[in-house]
């Protein structure tokens, strides 16, 4: 069975600083990997996804993520954080053949200080 | 462009009461899902429907029933609510192609006292 670990429950960064959110997955084959963001009181929105090809993927809002098979990781990065990036971020892994039945991590809450 | 609409936004129930959470999508998606979100647990799949007329259990189906009324609507019913069902419930839909993302509603916050 697939699983996802987000080791950081809560992260605080200053506006303008760089950001890296960690995600480690467990899956027997090539995974389908996603990052979603949830703003307060809202549903989740897709930031980016990886299925195959270039291991560095670009998403919306200036985010990127790098798939590293050797480390079973899919970390999310942003070079310069904005106050509006404060939200909860979820990594998810999908089974081959159907990306819709996802297993979500427990989330990382990002706080941005001015 | 409404996307995925959930009603109600908030609900308080007493133990043993029943209620139905409604979800509708206007994106012509085949697949629909119900998740619950609890602190420190992430999102857990309750039920999903790959197409009209079909439903399947997810990770945490006990205490819930679902109905895929038509292609647009997918409801979640709690027959006898329990405090353990206090949670935020999200409906989602997708095309269910291998590269298609989930589209989420804004959630229903349910409290069972």
């Amino acid at each position: 069975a697939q699983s996802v670990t987000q080791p950081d429950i809560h992260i605080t960064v200053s506006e303008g600083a760089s950001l890296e959110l960690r995600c480690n997955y467990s899956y027997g084959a090539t995974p389908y990997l996603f990052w979603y963001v949830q703003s307060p009181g809202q549903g989740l929105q897709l930031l980016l996804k990886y299925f195959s090809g270039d291991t560095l993927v670009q998403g919306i809002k200036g985010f990127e993520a790098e798939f590293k098979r050797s480390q079973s990781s899919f970390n999310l990065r942003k070079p310069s954080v904005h106050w509006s990036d404060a939200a909860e971020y979820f990594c998810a892994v999908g089974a081959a053949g159907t990306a819709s039945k996802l297993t979500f991590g427990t989330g990382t809450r990002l706080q941005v200080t001015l | 462009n409404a996307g995925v609409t959930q009603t109600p936004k908030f609900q308080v129930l007493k133990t043993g009461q029943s209620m139905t959470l409604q979800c509708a999508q206007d994106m012509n998606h085949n697949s629909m899902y119900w998740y619950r979100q609890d602190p420190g647990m992430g999102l857990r799949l309750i039920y999903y429907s790959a197409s009209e007329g079909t439903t399947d259990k997810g990770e945490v189906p006990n205490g819930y029933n679902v109905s895929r009324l038509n292609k647009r609507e997918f409801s979640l019913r709690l027959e006898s609510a329990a405090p353990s069902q206090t949670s935020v419930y999200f409906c989602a839909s997708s095309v269910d192609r291998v590269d298609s993302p989930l589209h989420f509603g804004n959630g229903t916050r349910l409290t069972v006292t």
Side-chain angles (χ1 to χ4, degrees), chain A residues 36 38 43 49 90 98-100, chain B residues 33 37 90 94 96 98-99 102:
Chain A
Y36 283 83
Q38 183 182 30
K49 60 188 178 185
F90 292 92
T98 170
S100 298
Chain B
Y33 311 81
Q37 183 179 30
F90 286 98
S94 78
D96 203 29
V98 68
D99 61 343
L102 295 174

Side-chain angles (χ1 to χ4, degrees), chain A residues 32 34 36 38 41-46 49 51 88 90 95-102 104-107, chain B residues 31 33 35 37 40-45 48 90 94-107:
Chain A
Y32 295 80
F34 304 80
Y36 283 83
Q38 183 182 30
Q42 303 292 314
L44 281 70
Q45 179 186 18
L46 180 71
K49 60 188 178 185
F51 296 122
E88 189 151 20
F90 292 92
T98 170
S100 298
K101 290 189 278 291
L102 302 182
F104 285 87
T106 52
Chain B
S31 298
Y33 311 81
Y35 286 89
Q37 183 179 30
M41 303 287 289
L43 277 79
R44 293 180 292 169
L45 183 65
Y48 66 96
F90 286 98
S94 78
V95 174
D96 203 29
R97 282 199 320 266
V98 68
D99 61 343
S100 64
L102 295 174
H103 296 261
F104 285 86
N106 287 336

